[in-house]
Amino acid sequence: MIARTDLIAEEQERHAEAVDGAAVHKAQYGDVFCERVKITTQGAAAILKRPIGTYYTIQFPTEILPSGKEPTEAIVRALTELMPESFKNVLIVGLGNRSITPDAVGPLVADRILATRHIDAVLIKKLYPMKLRSVAVLTPGVLGKTGIEAVETVRGTVARIRPDAVIVIDALAARHPERLCRTIQLCDTGICPGSGVQNARKEFSRSTLGVPVVAIGVPTVVDVATLVSDLTENPVPEALRNMMITPQNIDAAVLRSAEIIARALNLFLQPDLDEKTLLQLV
């Protein structure tokens, strides 16, 4: 059975040797582990089952609280490389279903982003003499509730407001339970929502939206069949093949992940504002 995962770090674990065409750089920031993988050839892309591009995996221990700066700083470093240079406006998209806790990461992050596109330029100069980037925020919902593919809603918004880039946030599936809500993956290749849980929707990428797309994902579920297959040599019962598991404290874990990502995004998007000011404005 092929293990199901959205994480490039877990895809790499299947290969005992380094993959030609995939350059790996590892770094440690306090208790936070950061790994960057640059896929530069089609051969490496085929082996790792990921498009050519740059991928960051940030992992941290459970004892780090949302106020901890290390995960935030690691995310900001990754975004600095992944985002286009000198971008002036951006669209933040929170993917997922806020009614289902393991799928609510995207909307929870979106709720905590400082939106500034609607603020008049003259007013900005009066209130904030420092530079303020234009940020728009969108939570397109899910097909089952809206009857509209999320990518269709986002594509229309992109055509209207013309951002320099789109950042999408979504929940992912992992292979190993210890990675749940302790890992954040970033990449510049976009994302295909629901692929890890066999409910793939249309992808968000430069080819579908027409602008650079940076994806941020947090694994919140593990496929039961994958877990059983890893732990035993027995055939996976049919009844388990369409089930997912999630941590007992998923409510607090998802909220914590969303706060970490939102804090990093706000600091990255508005570098002239300090964290205290950002917290007051959001």
Side-chain angles (χ1 to χ4, degrees):
M1 177 182 172
I2 298 177
R4 193 181 304 165
T5 180
D6 290 322
L7 302 179
I8 191 171
E10 293 184 330
E11 194 65 50
Q12 282 183 290
E13 292 171 357
R14 302 180 187 182
H15 307 281
E17 299 179 355
V19 177
D20 289 338
V24 179
H25 175 75
K26 299 180 180 181
Q28 188 89 18
Y29 306 105
D31 292 325
V32 178
F33 173 77
C34 184
E35 180 179 81
R36 182 188 66 192
V37 179
K38 282 193 173 184
I39 300 178
T40 57
T41 67
Q42 290 294 347
I47 292 172
L48 294 176
K49 302 176 182 178
R50 299 293 186 278
I52 290 175
T54 301
Y55 300 78
Y56 276 87
T57 301
I58 298 169
Q59 189 162 344
F60 45 90
T62 55
E63 59 266 21
I64 292 182
L65 300 175
S67 58
K69 292 184 178 180
E70 289 168 342
T72 299
E73 293 171 352
I75 296 169
V76 170
R77 290 189 190 96
L79 288 169
T80 301
E81 177 178 351
L82 297 174
M83 287 288 286
E85 293 184 8
S86 304
F87 72 94
K88 295 181 180 179
N89 54 81
V90 65
L91 172 63
I92 306 294
V93 179
L95 299 175
N97 187 342
R98 67 170 67 246
S99 299
I100 301 175
T101 303
D103 196 31
V105 175
L108 287 174
V109 172
D111 290 345
R112 290 161 172 77
I113 299 298
L114 175 63
T116 59
R117 181 177 177 271
H118 61 295
I119 304 176
D120 181 82
V122 176
L123 180 61
I124 287 179
K125 289 183 180 180
K126 289 182 178 179
L127 296 178
Y128 309 107
M130 67 289 288
K131 186 177 180 181
L132 201 62
R133 283 199 181 105
S134 174
V135 177
V137 182
L138 179 66
T139 49
V142 292
L143 181 65
K145 285 194 171 184
T146 66
I148 306 171
E149 285 279 6
V151 72
E152 295 174 350
T153 301
V154 176
R155 188 186 295 124
T157 304
V158 168
R160 177 66 178 176
I161 71 174
R162 300 181 182 276
D164 294 326
V166 174
I167 299 176
V168 296
I169 305 99
D170 199 10
L172 305 177
R175 178 178 182 177
H176 302 299
E178 59 267 23
R179 289 190 180 274
L180 298 182
C181 297
R182 293 176 55 189
T183 300
I184 297 173
Q185 178 175 273
L186 302 93
C187 68
D188 59 4
T189 60
I191 193 171
C192 185
S195 59
V197 293
Q198 292 187 327
N199 185 32
R201 313 310 310 169
K202 294 182 180 180
E203 72 175 21
F204 291 75
S205 66
R206 187 166 195 159
S207 63
T208 60
L209 298 181
V211 297
V213 177
V214 171
I216 304 176
V218 178
T220 61
V221 295
V222 172
D223 175 54
V224 172
T226 295
L227 183 61
V228 172
S229 178
D230 284 345
L231 295 176
T232 73
E233 297 181 357
N234 300 323
V236 177
E238 185 69 29
L240 298 181
R241 292 183 182 178
N242 292 310
M243 297 180 65
M244 312 296 292
I245 63 169
T246 195
Q248 186 177 18
N249 65 334
I250 188 62
D251 299 74
V254 164
L255 180 59
R256 171 173 163 268
S257 297
E259 289 175 340
I260 290 172
I261 295 171
R263 180 179 295 108
L265 281 171
N266 283 322
L267 289 171
F268 170 74
L269 293 171
Q270 310 298 350
D272 286 345
L273 297 182
D274 59 65
E275 188 168 356
K276 182 179 179 180
T277 302
L278 283 167
L279 288 174
Q280 292 173 342
L281 294 174
V282 175

